[in-house]
Amino acid sequence: MAITFQQAFAGHDETLKFRSARASVLANNIANADTPHYKARDITFDSMLQSEVNRLDLAGSDDQHIAGSSTFGTDDALLYRNPSQPSLDGNTVDMQREQAEFAQNALQFDTSFLFLERKVSGMKKAISGGQ
């Protein structure tokens, strides 16, 4: 029985894409901490999943033909963050929260990368015979 990369990576490759997209959004929030009327945004796994499910468009000319389309990381999955202490200029970025979320996201990215690295290492050993 043949194994595919999709099966071998067990979703860790997609997790890295999600973590990269979230890091970009959080970095954007941090960069705009002093911008008046800037609204902090974030991506959750649930919102990204729902966005992808809504985008999935199945069609085919045969029962065994399935075509799907997806655009990962679009604005549909971005949510506005509710501020715990809104500022007078309308900015909703809480710098401490953004930095904590960024650090947690970085840790989760590193964890997923480690899992993916070990999967690839195991596949290399299987191909080379454990040498």
Side-chain angles (χ1 to χ4, degrees):
M1 178 169 97
I3 188 167
T4 66
F5 283 113
Q6 187 175 12
Q7 292 170 330
F9 293 158
H12 292 293
D13 54 334
E14 295 298 323
T15 302
L16 289 177
K17 289 179 188 176
F18 169 72
R19 293 288 164 210
S20 294
R22 186 161 190 243
S24 176
V25 171
L26 294 172
N28 195 34
N29 288 346
I30 292 170
N32 286 292
D34 295 326
T35 305
H37 304 291
Y38 180 80
K39 306 297 181 207
R41 309 220 37 202
D42 200 355
I43 301 174
T44 64
F45 178 78
D46 293 336
S47 68
M48 184 69 78
L49 179 63
Q50 190 59 41
S51 173
E52 291 300 311
V53 167
N54 291 341
R55 228 182 277 301
L56 193 59
D57 197 17
L58 300 178
S61 58
D62 188 339
D63 289 340
Q64 296 180 0
H65 295 166
I66 298 176
S69 63
S70 175
T71 53
F72 193 85
T74 60
D75 285 347
D76 294 349
L78 285 176
L79 304 172
Y80 288 100
R81 183 169 290 151
N82 291 328
S84 57
Q85 212 171 16
S87 64
L88 294 175
D89 66 357
N91 188 308
T92 62
V93 175
D94 178 359
M95 198 59 161
Q96 291 176 340
R97 180 175 180 181
E98 297 300 327
Q99 290 174 334
E101 293 285 342
F102 192 87
Q104 181 182 19
N105 189 63
L107 182 63
Q108 291 169 335
F109 179 92
D110 290 344
T111 302
S112 288
F113 188 78
L114 181 64
F115 282 132
L116 190 58
E117 183 180 43
R118 288 187 178 168
K119 288 279 189 181
V120 171
S121 176
M123 290 171 64
K124 282 182 180 178
K125 286 180 183 177
I127 291 171
S128 66
Q131 297 176 1

